[in-house]
Each structure stands twice: as structure tokens, then as C-alpha cells.
């Protein structure tokens, strides 16, 4: 009776509230991990780039009964129509399951996925298929389902069929549910989960009340007629936010038209999003420069602006064929080299006012060529002002210099050499849902120092200081061998070469420490296809123990496909790894600007599936390099969580499919996290305009 009165009062209060009818029905995280109602899914998925952090106290104990426990759920939208989630189900937070206090308790980590089928008109209905508790040793919640949903007015109706082995009967057979959302901030849900009828209410705190960071939702399951629980009420709380927001640059229809010259292969691309033909000026109509003095003034002003922007090795020149040349190195837009190109091209259009000028831009890093561009200044200025896209020719690496150049000022202003660059980042080792506790961690603050010395060469130093540990990572605790120690662990000399045909090579030799002291040599060779969509690399290393007579060898070959139209990179690698395991690893990265979400699977001496994310720990534009150096955050800090699959146990396995890494690598320093390519630039061309407008 009390419950009925409470529901009646809540309903009356809702109906008497100010009328704030919802524009669309919200998507909520269910108590079981997927987007849906209470125990059942609907055919919707979480928005792309959003994450949902959830907690509820309805613990499904090994599929036999429901008790008061803890469910921690993390879900994310990887791309349109696809979501993944991870769930930790535990009876206690800190109880040690090897002791009497935690003997026999449940502590389970599971992965879930749902895919919304495409090509079905949205005004008909939506259909999704999904799986819960994929792989793993103890599949307490293994479930497979198909579900269809239809929205009418403020209602969403869902029905489907599922298969599971739970003794409760939950999600083992046909299921159905109804959601009613009369207001943006309030929803009622009712369902039959193939075992019992359940009802819940959801109240959402508006995003604007939380400084537009995210939405906070409170859930009360106020009714259930299940026979497998002493309590028919439970509660939950969720926080949803856009962890990675896709940049809203203007879409460009890209259709590269390759042109092959006698000197080299290049990709010629006509950007024509406005469906208007680009007019090529008659070269015979070019006028001569008004005077070398005027062009010298413009070039000098441009050079001064680029140095002020923080670029290094700046060179600006011109000739009587109405061509201007800019050579530079990017050390400030470390999250994405594309931003550096955009600001340089914007500066050229800003300061070079003579008509009919052709720009030639060369970007490099420590005199290693990265990307070169050629186009018309007037057309690019029109792109900045009116978004009419210009013709741009892009070369992977370098291109021939125009002839008879007059260079302005010193040949190489703001040299990059002998200036240390210090990068700070966290170093984190952790364990989730182990027998020792819900979460254990060891955290250190890491500093990596890169000192460029000559073309492609320099010194890399690294170390870290331990700042915090959970009890199980203490010096006398079970995870003591895997804690992040305070130590100096890298001192290498590196040399990089840009070879013909899109080949890059880097060798590092020196001191490495990974739990043991080694002297070693590591070599990476990478080949980029002319368009930059394909990358093949080989990583070979030899490491000699310093404390006893033994050594380690590593040989790994990898392949990357850059699917630029979808902002997805696909990775596969195989070989012999550092800790004497061999096998392969595959990974898909879903990019949102300069961050990504990833799912991966690996099979070496253990089989694992996992989820990872990478975020920049620095602003879009870092501080400029001074004569004393530069301090910045990591441009790509990665964190992952994984679980063993295909075994009767789920023992922890640290550092599988592992190779020693350095802050200086081909991908990090020279290849823009594997994305520096013609195809990537063309697919993100509007970002060039955006960065200039932000920093002009």
C-alpha cells in the first residue's frame, strides 16, 4: 500500500509539473549494462563518442538470485549504431576472496556489445543484435539477443528474443518493454524480462545544471514480481557525457584523382564540396611582381609571424615565377600536425597579398620530411573567407623546390637543436575485479626528455616517481612486482632516416629498464603507401641483461589501414614479444578528433579481449620552445582494461603482447600517431581553416 501511494504521489507531482515535453526519447543504460530499460535492451545505442558511467545495487548472483550488491558499468558509443560496455559485478568492494571474509563471493568482469542494424528506415522501426558476457572464464551472464523498437509520440515499444543459461530465466526467451517519457527529465519504464515484470522511474538532472558537462540520471526500480529476490526494489545512478566530441568541421566530399609525374608519384585532389568548378588562372596572364622590395616585405612579415607562432626551422623564400616557399617544423601543435599546416597556410593567405602567387609548403621534423603542399594563395584565401575549396596538391614527404629562390633573412630561423622537450604523463598499472579487491592501482608521474642534436638524431631520457598505490601494490603485497617504481628507466640515442618510396627508419640504442636492467638496440622500419592509407612496419630488438648472462629478442610485424572517411584505423600485428610470448594482436581505433576509443583482441600465451581509450593531456597548442626547452603534457595517453577468454580461469596476465616503448617513435614524433597522410589531410581539410580562425 505504501508503495502504491508513493507511486501515485509521484505521478501526480509529475503531471502537475511545468509542461516540458521531451523532443525525443532519451537513451538510458539498463541495470544489466546495455542501452535499454531495466533488465532488457531496446534497439537503441549510446551516442557516438559518449560514455555512460553507471552504478546500481541489483546484483544478479551467478544467474541464480538477486541480492543487494554492486554493479559498476562503463559503456561507450564507438561508431554509429555500435556500443560496447564493461561491467563489474561484485558482492563487496574490498573483501579478499582468499580469506574467510570473502570466501565464495562473486567478483566478475564481463564485456558486452550491441549493434544496430543499418538500412532500416528510422520511421519504420529499429533493430539491434547484441551479446552480454562475451568470452571470459566464468560466463555467469552469457546472453545473446535480437530486439526491435518503435517510437510513437512519447512512447518507445520494444520486443525481442534472447537466449541465456540463467537459472532465474532472465533474458531466456521472449521479452518486451514500454518506455514513456512525458518530459525531458522524467521517464517511466515497464518490461517483461522473460521471467518477471519490472517497473522503474528515471529522473534526469538537466545538462545545463551541470555546466553542460553531462547528464545525471537517478533510477528507481520500484516494482518486480520476480520469485528470485527477497527485495523487489533497487536503485541506480548514471552519468553520461561526451568524452570525445567529433569536431564539427564542414563535410567534404573527397574523391582523389591521382596524377603521376615523371619525377615522382603524387596524389592530385580537387576539393569541390560546393559543386562549383575551380577556375585555374591562365599562367600567361600572371603579372610580374610590383617589385622585389614589396615581395621581400611580405615574405619577411610572414616569416616573423611564423616564428612568433612558435614554429622552428622557419625559412621563407620567393622567386620571379610568382612562387613563395615556406619550410618549417612543428613543435607547438603536438596533438595533431594538421593544425600546424592549417595555421601556416592561413598565415600565407594573410600576409601574402600579391596576386597569382603559388605557395609551396614543406613540413619536417628535425629535417626529416613529413608532408608538402602546393596551391594558389588567392584560392586558399577565398577558402578562408567563403569556404570555397581550393585546388591543393599534396606530396607524402618532400617535393622538388622551385628554382631561383631568394631567401629572406637567416636561412634557418629558430633552430630545433639542443633544446630539451620535457613531456609529463601518468604511468598507471591496475587490476579490476580481482580476488583481492574491486580495483587496485599503482600510479607514478612520468617525465620523458627528448633532446634533438642533429638531423633525425638525438637523446631520449626517461624516468618516473611513484605517487600513490592501493594496499595490494605495497612493497610487501601480492602485486608488488608490478608496481610503478620511482626509477630512471630510459637513456637512448636515436637516429631517424627518411628513405625513398615512403620508407622511414629509426634506430634506438642504449639503456632500457623493464623490471630488469638491459642494454639494447631497437629498430623500427615503416612504409607508407602513396596515399597514406596503408602502413606496414617491422620492429626488431635485442636486449642484453645487465645483472646476469641472458638476453631477449623481439620481432614484430604490423599493418595499419587508415579508413579516413570513417575516422577509423585498423591494426594487426604478429611476432615475438618482450616477455617471451608470441602470437598476434588485432585492434580497431575509433577516432574523435585527437582521441580514440579502441577494442582489441590478442592471442599470445594467453587470449585476451580488451577496451582502451587514448586522450591528449595537453591543449591544442602547447607552449613554444624557448632556448631553455619546452614543457608539455603527453599528446596521447592511453589506458586499457582487458580480460582473459577461452580458458576455465581468468588469471591476471600483465604485459602480454608488449614491446618496450619510448616517447620518441616514428608514430609519435614523425607520423602524427600513424595519421600523417594525404588521405587524412583531404578528409579533414576544413580543420585547416578552423585552426587558423582560432589562432589568427
Amino acid at each position: 500500500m505504501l508503495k502504491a501511494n508513493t507511486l501515485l504521489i509521484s505521478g501526480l507531482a509529475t503531471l502537475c509539473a511545468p509542461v516540458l515535453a521531451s523532443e525525443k526519447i532519451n537513451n538510458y543504460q539498463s541495470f544489466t549494462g546495455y542501452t535499454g530499460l531495466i533488465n532488457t535492451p531496446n534497439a537503441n545505442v549510446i551516442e557516438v563518442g559518449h560514455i555512460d558511467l553507471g552504478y546500481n545495487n541489483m546484483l544478479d548472483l551467478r544467474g541464480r538470485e538477486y541480492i543487494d550488491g554492486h554493479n559498476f558499468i562503463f559503456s561507450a558509443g564507438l561508431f554509429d549504431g555500435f556500443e560496447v560496455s564493461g561491467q563489474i559485478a561484485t558482492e563487496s568492494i574490498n573483501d579478499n576472496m582468499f580469506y574467510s571474509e570473502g570466501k565464495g563471493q562473486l567478483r566478475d568482469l564481463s564485456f558486452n556489445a550491441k549493434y544496430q542494424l543499418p538500412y532500416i528506415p528510422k520511421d519504420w522501426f529499429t533493430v539491434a543484435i547484441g551479446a552480454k558476457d562475451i568470452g571470459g572464464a566464468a560466463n555467469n551472464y552469457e546472453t545473446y539477443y535480437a530486439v526491435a523498437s518503435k517510437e510513437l509520440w512519447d512512447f518507445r515499444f520494444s520486443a525481442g528474443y534472447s537466449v541465456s543459461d540463467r537459472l532465474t530465466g532472465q533474458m531466456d526467451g521472449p521479452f518486451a518493454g514500454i518506455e514513456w517519457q512525458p518530459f525531458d527529465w522524467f521517464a517511466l519504464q515497464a518490461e517483461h524480462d522473460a521471467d518477471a515484470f519490472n517497473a522503474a522511474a528515471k529522473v534526469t538532472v538537466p545538462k545545463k545544471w551541470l555546466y553542460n558537462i553531462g547528464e545525471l540520471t537517478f533510477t528507481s526500480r520500484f516494482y518486480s514480481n520476480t520469485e528470485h529476490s527477497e527485495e523487489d526494489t533497487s536503485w541506480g545512478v548514471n552519468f553520461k557525457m561526451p568524452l570525445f566530441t567529433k569536431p564539427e568541421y564542414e563535410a567534404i566530399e573527397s574523391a582523389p584523382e591521382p596524377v603521376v609525374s615523371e619525377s615522382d608519384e603524387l596524389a592530385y585532389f580537387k576539393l569541390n564540396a560546393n559543386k562549383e568548378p575551380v577556375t585555374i588562372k591562365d599562367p600567361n596572364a600572371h603579372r610580374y611582381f610590383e617589385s622585389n622590395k614589396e615581395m621581400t616585405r611580405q615574405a619577411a612579415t610572414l616569416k616573423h609571424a611564423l616564428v612568433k607562432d612558435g614554429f622552428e626551422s622557419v625559412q621563407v623564400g620567393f622567386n620571379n615565377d610568382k612562387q613563395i616557399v615556406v619550410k618549417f617544423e612543428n613543435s607547438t601543435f603536438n596533438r595533431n600536425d594538421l593544425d600546424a599546416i592549417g595555421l601556416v597556410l592561413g598565415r600565407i593567405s594573410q600576409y601574402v597579398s600579391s596576386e597569382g602567387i603559388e605557395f609551396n609548403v614543406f613540413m619536417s621534423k628535425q629535417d626529416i620530411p613529413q608532408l608538402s603542399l602546393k596551391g594558389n594563395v588567392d584560392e586558399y584565401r577565398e577558402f578562408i573567407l567563403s569556404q570555397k575549396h581550393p585546388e591543393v596538391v599534396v606530396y607524402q614527404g618532400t617535393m622538388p623546390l622551385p628554382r631561383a629562390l631568394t631567401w629572406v633573412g637567416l636561412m634557418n630561423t629558430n633552430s630545433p637543436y639542443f633544446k630539451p622537450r620535457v613531456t609529463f604523463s601518468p604511468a598507471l598499472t591496475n587490476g579490476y575485479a580481482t580476488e583481492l579487491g574491486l580495483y587496485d592501482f599503482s600510479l607514478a608521474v612520468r617525465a620523458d626528455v627528448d633532446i634533438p642534436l642533429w638531423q633525425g638524431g638525438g637523446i631520449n631520457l626517461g624516468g618516473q616517481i611513484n605517487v600513490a598505490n592501493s594496499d595490494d601494490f605495497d612493497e610487501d603485497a601480492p602485486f608488488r612486482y608490478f608496481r610503478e617504481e620511482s626509477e630512471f628507466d630510459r637513456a637512448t640515442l636515436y637516429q631517424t632516416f627518411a628513405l625513398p618510396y615512403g620508407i622511414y627508419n629509426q634506430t634506438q640504442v642504449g639503456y632500457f629498464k623493464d623490471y630488469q636492467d638491459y642494454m639494447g638496440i631497437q629498430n623500427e622500419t615503416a612504409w607508407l603507401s602513396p596515399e597514406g592509407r596503408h602502413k606496414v612496419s617491422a620492429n626488431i630488438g635485442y636486449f642484453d641483461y645487465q645483472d646476469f648472462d641472458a638476453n631477449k629478442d623481439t620481432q614484430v610485424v604490423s599493418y595499419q589501414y587508415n579508413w579516413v572517411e570513417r575516422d577509423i584505423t585498423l591494426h594487426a600485428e604478429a611476432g615475438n614479444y618482450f616477455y617471451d610470448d608470441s602470437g598476434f594482436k588485432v585492434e580497431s581505433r575509433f577516432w574523435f578528433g585527437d582521441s580514440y576509443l579502441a577494442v582489441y583482441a590478442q592471442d599470445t600465451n594467453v587470449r585476451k579481449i580488451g577496451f582502451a581509450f587514448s586522450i591528449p593531456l595537453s591543449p591544442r597548442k602547447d607552449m613554444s620552445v624557448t632556448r631553455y626547452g619546452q614543457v608539455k603534457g603527453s599528446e596521447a595517453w592511453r589506458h586499457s582494461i582487458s580480460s582473459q577468454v577461452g580458458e576455465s580461469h581468468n588469471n591476471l596476465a600483465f604485459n602480454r603482447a608488449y614491446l618496450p616503448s619510448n616517447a620518441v617513435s616514428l608514430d609519435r614524433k614523425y607520423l602524427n600517431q600513424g595519421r600523417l597522410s594525404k588521405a587524412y589531410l583531404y578528409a579533414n581539410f576544413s580543420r585547416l581553416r578552423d585552426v587558423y580562425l582560432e589562432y589568427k
Side-chain angles (χ1 to χ4, degrees), residues 99-261:
Y99 298 158
S100 58
E101 62 182 7
K103 204 73 172 179
Q105 287 190 13
L106 170 72
R107 192 168 289 144
D108 183 85
L109 173 63
S110 60
F111 288 96
N112 318 312
K114 184 203 284 191
Y115 180 59
Q116 188 180 78
L117 300 183
Y119 309 122
I120 299 176
K122 296 295 183 182
D123 56 349
W124 290 7
F125 51 84
T126 53
V127 177
I129 56 175
K132 179 175 173 59
D133 202 0
I134 303 170
N139 302 100
N140 297 301
Y141 311 111
E142 186 173 13
T143 305
Y144 301 92
Y145 61 86
V147 59
S149 296
K150 173 67 175 178
E151 295 183 10
L152 291 173
W153 307 290
D154 296 330
F155 294 87
R156 180 189 288 138
F157 303 88
S158 300
Y161 190 84
S162 59
V163 177
S164 76
D165 294 327
R166 302 183 211 187
L167 297 179
T168 60
Q170 183 197 125
M171 291 295 288
D172 188 20
F175 62 88
I178 302 175
E179 301 170 74
W180 177 43
Q181 185 180 314
F183 312 112
D184 285 335
W185 54 273
F186 182 78
L188 288 172
Q189 299 177 331
E191 68 176 14
H192 182 262
D193 63 9
D195 165 58
F197 288 95
N198 309 295
K202 292 182 181 287
V203 176
T204 299
V205 178
K207 190 175 181 179
K208 63 182 179 180
W209 291 8
L210 300 174
Y211 304 98
N212 288 318
I213 297 175
E215 296 178 345
L216 187 65
T217 299
F218 298 94
T219 302
S220 171
R221 190 197 70 167
F222 55 80
Y223 173 78
S224 177
N225 67 354
T226 180
E227 299 177 353
H228 304 284
S229 174
E230 296 181 359
E231 299 288 339
D232 57 2
T233 61
S234 55
W235 62 274
V237 60
N238 289 81
F239 183 72
K240 184 168 70 172
M241 63 178 290
L243 179 62
F244 309 124
T245 302
K246 275 190 177 290
E248 296 182 356
Y249 307 127
E250 180 191 358
I252 296 178
E253 295 182 9
S254 57
E257 300 177 6
V259 173
V260 180
S261 67

Side-chain angles (χ1 to χ4, degrees), residues 635-655:
E635 73 282 358
W637 181 71
R638 174 175 166 129
H639 183 63
S640 61
I641 177 174
S642 62
S643 177
Q644 278 204 57
V645 296
E647 299 289 346
S648 59
H649 61 81
N650 192 14
N651 296 338
L652 292 180
F654 291 99
N655 295 330

